[in-house]
């Protein structure tokens, strides 16, 4: 039987049209579904819309429509956008559907019958944007930290779910399953909510007198269900809870994807609700950071290209999927700008991948008349070297993707692409041709074509169009991922067709942006001669990290690219240490990392933080601050 994978996005509120943030999460889910299918899983992908609650009722009213008319309209615009972006979900759940209402009422009744729902009265500070109460600890200056709006004190009689009863169970569950919530920073966030104090019980109803647009409680018609208690249940209602085959089949393999805005409902409410309803917990909660855009810049350089479909049309489907997956370190915020999209397209896609494929195909045309050359036995060692590199890259890609470290996974494939470009430069096929070394030439071109084929197959969940173009040009369209076959680098037929592959990724002009590879964002630190207080200092997240890999950056005599472990998280750093340190010397060293610095693009790498080094005079070479190896990775400076 095939292994199973069930991926969900949040169900989006229908009070606004889909934007880039929604598109990111949904693209990730689409990528993962295709990725898991590629490696042989039976995968299922759910998305949908969250349609009840104050916020939606208010938006409908403002638009002069009934809640149902209004939600029909916006929900279908989500569907339309996903269709135009070819995001292939298996099901789209709407919380206003009858199948959902039935499941919500059945869970409410079950939890009520189990004695975990009681009637009481409560007064607390409420955010209408988040549709939830805030504890003293969570609010800042009486305001909602997400919406920056004043919280309103509300007191009313309602039904409550005994969330506190399951607090101890949840703490133990998270301890026993350290990657239940990942990456680590969000597990820590949930643990600090759980371990700090006794959880307040969850108010799960709203009086109909105040809000009609919701699912009536099965045990009291005067109340509707609180929108979060209703919404979270979509993940099982869509599968046909309680007795649908799809539910039984996929639920044990459930993986949710959300952004950091909705960690508490997913990390605390949902697992305790599941426990109370006698449903096993989901497998993983995967939490990503935010895409931030600078408004001014957005309107200046991107014009009106903020709608996901326009973005795809402007830059291309493969290009945007690649950018999203490669640019963001899952879990951390990232900046969206036209400059960074264009850099990824021009450097990674056009230069690295596009050129390698184009050169390989052109040489097959020029030297072998557009046919796959045979592989002469005497050059077998070159294939073995490439095979080893490819196996390493593929395994890293698969492992990192399964661990939601998409950028690291893809980076490994790009290292392989880099070694193919180097292989062309070093073997110089044009010289081999001139010198009549046909055997070696044939081996080089065959190796390159085989590598292009293997890359096209493994990259198909990301680069949906370019992959097909490469496979079609090799007459291999429809090829399945078969690890053994792919890693053999021996899949093509002698004499098979090698057609023109065209320009896979046209280079883009950087209007008004500096074009030199060395010019990237400089982090400008505001000068401050004055003293700072402890609160300001506490904003800087300094942690111990370990250098796992270090390599010189071609084209720069100063810069090194480092891969570091900052305590369960891998990051890339670009550091100006190349003049004074050998890359090999740095591997294994423990250093201090400023972990919450905004990412910066330097030499087409995204540097996710800064390591601490010291120098006495301005022009001295910086000396790395090394840390005692016994201090664990991720330990914070305090
Ligand atoms: N309806 C709730 C979710 C209920 S799930 C049971 C909700 N909806 S939402 O429309 O506000 O969507 C929030 C989600 O949209 C985030 O968790 C994330 O997946 C995505 N994003 C919204 N803005 C985003 C960014 N700026 N960056 C990245 N993702 C963003 O919350």
């Amino acid at each position: 039987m095939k292994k199973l994978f069930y991926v969900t996005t949040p169900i989006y509120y229908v009070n606004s049209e889909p934007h880039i943030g929604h598109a990111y999460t949904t693209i990730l889910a689409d990528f993962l579904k295709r990725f898991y299918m590629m490696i042989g899983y039976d995968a299922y992908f759910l998305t949908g819309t969250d349609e009840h609650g104050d916020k939606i009722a208010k938006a409908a009213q403002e638009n002069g429509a009934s809640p149902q008319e209004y939600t029909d309209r916006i929900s279908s615009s989500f569907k339309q956008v996903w269709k135009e972006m070819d995001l292939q979900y298996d099901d789209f759940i709407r919380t206003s559907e009858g199948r959902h209402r039935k499941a919500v009422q059945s869970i409410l009744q079950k939890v009520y019958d189990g004695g975990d729902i009681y009637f009481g009265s409560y007064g607390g500070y409420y955010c209408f944007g988040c549709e939830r109460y805030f504890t003293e600890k969570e609010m800042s200056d009486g305001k909602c930290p997400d919406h920056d709006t004043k919280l309103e004190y509300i007191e009313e009689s309602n039904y409550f779910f005994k969330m506190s009863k399951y607090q101890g169970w949840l703490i133990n569950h998270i301890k026993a399953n350290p990657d239940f919530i990942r990456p680590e920073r969000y597990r820590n966030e949930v643990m600090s909510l759980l371990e700090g104090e006794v959880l307040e019980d969850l108010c799960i109803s709203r009086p109909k007198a105040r809000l009609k647009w919701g699912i009536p409680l099965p045990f009291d018609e005067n109340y509707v269900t609180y929108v979060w208690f209703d919404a979270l249940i979509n993940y099982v209602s869509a599968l046909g809870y309680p007795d649908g085959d799809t539910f039984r089949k996929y639920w044990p393999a459930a993986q949710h994807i959300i952004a950091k805005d909705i960690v508490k409902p997913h990390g605390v409410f949902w697992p305790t609700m599941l426990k109370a309803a006698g449903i096993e917990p989901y497998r993983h909660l995967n939490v990503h950071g935010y895409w931030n855009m600078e408004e001014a810049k957005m309107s200046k350089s991107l014009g009106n290209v903020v709608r996901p479909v326009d973005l795809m049309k402007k830059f291309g489907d493969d290009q945007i999927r690649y950018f999203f997956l490669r640019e963001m370190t899952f879990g951390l915020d990232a900046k969206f700008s036209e400059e960074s999209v264009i850099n990824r397209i021009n450097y990674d896609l056009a230069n690295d991948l596009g050129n390698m494929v184009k050169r390989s195909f052109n040489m097959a045309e020029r030297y072998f008349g557009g046919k796959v050359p045979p592989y002469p036995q005497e050059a077998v060692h070159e294939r073995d070297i490439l095979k080893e590199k490819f196996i390493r890259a593929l395994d890293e890609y698969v492992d990192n993707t399964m661990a939601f470290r998409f950028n690291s996974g893809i980076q490994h494939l790009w290292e392989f692409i880099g070694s193919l470009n180097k292989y062309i430069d070093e073997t110089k096929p044009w010289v081999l041709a001139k010198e009549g070394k046909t055997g070696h030439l044939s081996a080089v071109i065959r190796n390159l074509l085989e590598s292009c084929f293997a890359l096209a197959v493994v990259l198909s969940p990301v680069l949906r169009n370019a992959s097909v173009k490469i496979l079609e040009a090799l007459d291999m369209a429809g090829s399945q991922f078969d690890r053994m076959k792919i890693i053999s680098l021996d899949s093509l037929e002698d004499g098979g067709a090698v057609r023109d592959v065209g320009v896979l990724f046209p280079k883009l002009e950087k209007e008004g942006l500096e074009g030199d590879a060395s010019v990237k964002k400089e982090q400008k630190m505001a000068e401050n001669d004055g003293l700072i207080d402890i609160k300001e200092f506490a904003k800087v997240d300094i942690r111990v990290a370990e250098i796992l890999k270090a390599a010189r950056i071609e084209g720069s005599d100063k810069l090194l690219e480092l891969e570091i472990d900052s305590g369960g998280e891998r990051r890339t750093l670009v550091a100006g240490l190349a003049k004074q340190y050998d890359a090999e010397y740095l591997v294994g060293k423990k250093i201090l990392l400023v972990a919450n610095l905004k990412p910066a693009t330097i030499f087409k790498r995204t540097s996710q933080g800064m390591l601490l080094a010291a120098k006495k005079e301005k022009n001295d070479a910086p000396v790395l601050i090394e840390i005692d190896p016994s201090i664990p990775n991720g330990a914070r400076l305090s």
Side-chain angles (χ1 to χ4, degrees):
M1 213 185 83
K2 282 188 173 183
K3 287 193 192 159
L4 299 165
F5 176 71
Y6 169 40
V7 65
T8 70
T9 71
I11 46 170
Y12 303 113
Y13 286 131
V14 287
N15 61 343
S16 69
E17 300 283 335
H19 58 67
I20 291 173
H22 303 130
Y24 170 70
T25 317
T26 317
I27 286 174
L28 268 192
D30 177 88
F31 160 73
L32 281 165
K33 156 136 193 203
R34 292 169 200 260
F35 173 86
Y36 272 91
M37 283 176 51
M38 176 180 89
I39 60 169
Y41 280 59
D42 176 344
Y44 197 84
F45 161 22
L46 173 72
T47 188
T49 43
D50 187 355
E51 306 189 357
H52 290 130
D54 285 321
K55 218 181 346 209
I56 310 300
K58 216 167 131 209
Q61 204 180 20
E62 279 163 9
N63 282 276
S66 73
Q68 193 64 63
E69 279 163 8
Y70 176 73
T71 53
D72 285 351
R73 192 163 77 221
I74 310 283
S75 182
S76 58
S77 80
F78 270 91
K79 278 191 180 162
Q80 180 59 27
V81 168
W82 302 154
K83 190 168 164 212
E84 284 179 53
M85 294 171 77
D86 195 21
L87 302 179
Q88 293 178 13
Y89 49 78
D90 293 287
D91 198 356
F92 189 103
I93 181 87
R94 300 183 53 192
T95 54
S96 61
E97 287 177 73
R99 60 174 175 152
H100 177 70
R101 185 181 322 116
K102 257 172 64 189
V104 170
Q105 292 186 327
S106 126
I107 287 182
L108 279 165
Q109 193 65 53
K110 199 163 174 196
V111 179
Y112 185 71
D113 293 343
D116 285 341
I117 290 177
Y118 63 91
F119 191 66
S121 94
Y122 182 79
Y125 289 93
Y126 194 75
C127 169
F128 280 88
C130 297
E131 305 219 19
R132 72 174 180 91
Y133 288 98
F134 275 72
T135 62
E136 296 273 346
K137 207 169 123 188
E138 288 175 308
M139 52 192 183
S140 63
D141 286 342
K143 285 184 176 171
C144 163
D146 283 341
H147 292 91
D148 201 33
T149 48
K150 211 167 157 34
L151 296 168
E152 266 185 57
Y153 189 82
I154 296 190
E155 197 166 350
E156 62 193 11
S157 294
N158 266 310
Y159 285 87
F160 290 84
F161 163 53
K162 283 188 194 165
M163 203 154 69
S164 53
K165 182 172 156 189
Y166 298 102
Q167 185 166 1
W169 165 81
L170 184 54
I171 292 173
N172 290 337
H173 185 75
I174 296 175
K175 283 189 176 157
N177 300 277
D179 58 359
F180 182 58
I181 299 171
R182 60 188 182 182
E184 193 194 10
R185 58 174 53 214
Y186 299 105
R187 180 187 70 216
N188 295 343
E189 187 180 316
V190 169
M191 279 309 250
S192 79
L193 288 173
L194 292 171
E195 292 191 315
E197 53 200 55
V198 178
L199 275 183
E200 286 186 5
D201 287 342
L202 183 65
C203 176
I204 54 140
S205 64
R206 297 290 179 263
K208 263 197 186 157
R210 176 154 79 79
L211 174 73
K212 290 197 177 49
W213 181 236
I215 298 178
L217 295 184
F219 41 82
D220 189 340
E221 274 290 314
N222 295 317
Y223 287 85
V224 294
T225 313
Y226 165 50
V227 66
W228 270 106
F229 199 96
D230 155 353
L232 289 160
I233 290 173
N234 89 85
Y235 301 130
V236 295
S237 69
L239 297 184
Y241 171 85
D243 43 21
D245 288 342
T246 319
F247 171 70
R248 268 195 288 270
K249 177 173 173 189
Y250 290 107
W251 179 249
Q255 296 217 31
H256 302 309
I257 311 177
I258 60 166
K260 62 182 187 179
D261 50 341
I262 48 180
V263 169
K264 187 173 180 183
H266 284 82
V268 180
F269 303 175
W270 183 221
T272 53
M273 284 165 62
L274 288 166
K275 181 72 183 159
I279 306 171
E280 69 175 290
Y282 52 76
R283 182 78 64 81
H284 295 293
L285 177 64
N286 304 288
V287 188
H288 61 78
Y290 270 165
W291 284 101
N292 294 321
M293 359 219 160
E294 292 151 307
E295 283 307 320
K297 217 167 168 202
M298 187 81 189
S299 52
K300 204 168 85 204
S301 55
L302 284 180
N304 60 354
V305 187
V306 286
R307 292 172 55 228
V309 174
D310 292 347
L311 198 67
M312 286 270 179
K313 284 190 184 143
K314 176 159 184 176
F315 292 108
D317 180 284
D318 288 5
Q319 286 85 337
I320 290 300
R321 288 169 76 91
Y322 177 81
F323 172 79
F324 274 150
L325 287 159
R326 179 71 177 81
E327 187 77 8
M328 182 179 253
T329 299
F330 195 86
L332 301 179
D333 288 354
K335 206 186 80 196
F336 185 90
S337 72
E338 181 175 72
E339 186 189 1
S340 43
V341 175
I342 294 178
N343 278 340
R344 286 288 174 204
I345 294 175
N346 286 353
Y347 295 123
D348 300 11
L349 295 176
N351 274 4
D352 297 345
L353 177 62
N355 273 349
M356 187 278 292
V357 173
K358 187 89 192 140
R359 289 165 96 188
S360 306
F361 277 58
N362 282 352
M363 290 190 289
E365 170 63 38
R366 190 171 325 132
Y367 304 128
F368 298 99
K371 297 260 179 296
V372 174
Y375 200 91
Q377 279 314 305
E378 72 260 25
V380 86
H381 69 284
E382 278 184 21
R383 178 158 73 195
D384 289 343
I385 295 170
L386 286 178
K387 250 162 81 172
E388 205 188 302
K389 288 189 171 151
F390 181 63
I391 291 171
R392 212 174 320 132
L394 179 62
D395 289 348
E396 291 279 1
Y397 169 60
V398 171
D399 293 350
N400 279 297
T401 301
M402 292 173 95
F404 274 65
R405 292 190 296 261
F406 308 113
N407 61 342
S408 304
I410 289 179
Q411 199 173 327
H412 281 99
L413 290 181
W414 251 255
E415 274 166 24
F416 178 65
I417 293 168
S419 51
L420 292 172
N421 274 316
K422 209 162 144 218
Y423 181 56
I424 301 179
D425 296 341
E426 285 174 358
T427 53
K428 299 189 176 58
W430 48 94
V431 175
L432 297 177
K434 221 161 142 192
E435 293 175 353
K437 295 183 177 154
T438 334
H440 193 188
L441 178 66
S442 172
V444 172
I445 304 303
R446 178 68 179 255
N447 278 335
L448 290 168
L449 293 173
E450 293 282 359
S451 302
C452 290
F453 165 74
L455 282 165
V457 173
V458 305
L459 278 168
S460 62
V462 192
L463 307 175
R464 300 183 297 192
N465 301 314
S467 269
V468 171
K469 279 190 194 159
I470 296 172
L471 295 176
E472 278 178 355
L474 290 170
D475 252 351
M476 296 288 278
S479 286
Q480 297 291 313
F481 174 90
D482 166 347
R483 189 177 179 284
M484 291 322 287
K485 192 162 166 245
I486 300 274
I487 61 170
S488 69
L489 293 188
D490 189 17
S491 299
L492 305 174
E493 295 282 327
D494 289 2
V498 186
R499 294 194 200 92
D500 183 16
V501 72
V503 179
L504 292 177
F505 303 104
K507 277 204 171 186
L508 297 177
E509 288 293 319
K510 290 201 227 172
E511 292 153 37
L513 301 168
E514 290 176 85
D516 188 296
S518 67
V519 182
K520 293 295 153 269
K521 281 269 117 65
E522 269 177 45
Q523 297 275 317
K524 284 200 178 146
M525 304 264 287
E527 279 187 21
N528 191 346
D529 295 333
L531 300 173
I532 57 165
D533 63 24
I534 187 83
K535 263 198 188 156
E536 273 177 90
F537 175 69
K539 284 186 194 160
V540 187
D541 178 0
I542 301 180
R543 298 190 207 171
V544 173
E546 182 178 342
I547 300 178
L548 304 175
K549 286 186 189 162
R552 279 181 169 271
I553 293 183
E554 234 171 85
S556 165
D557 56 352
K558 274 206 311 225
L559 298 176
L560 288 176
E561 181 173 5
L562 307 177
E563 191 175 322
I564 59 161
D565 175 349
S566 55
E569 272 177 359
R570 291 205 174 187
R571 298 180 183 218
T572 303
L573 289 191
V574 176
L577 297 172
K579 281 197 169 157
Q580 57 277 36
Y581 293 99
D582 279 339
E584 302 76 55
Y585 169 83
L586 294 172
V587 174
K589 291 274 177 271
K590 295 245 181 169
I591 49 119
L592 285 175
L593 165 79
V594 179
N596 59 344
L597 202 63
K598 280 189 187 154
T601 310
I602 307 167
F603 263 77
K604 77 175 175 161
R605 277 96 175 153
T606 304
S607 188
Q608 299 149 339
M610 181 177 87
L611 54 73
L612 294 186
K615 54 185 172 185
K616 192 151 185 225
E617 301 292 338
K618 192 166 174 255
N619 293 327
D620 289 352
V623 179
L624 190 64
I625 300 179
E626 292 180 33
I627 293 295
D628 189 308
S630 66
I631 307 178
N633 296 348
R636 276 164 209 247
L637 208 69
S638 61

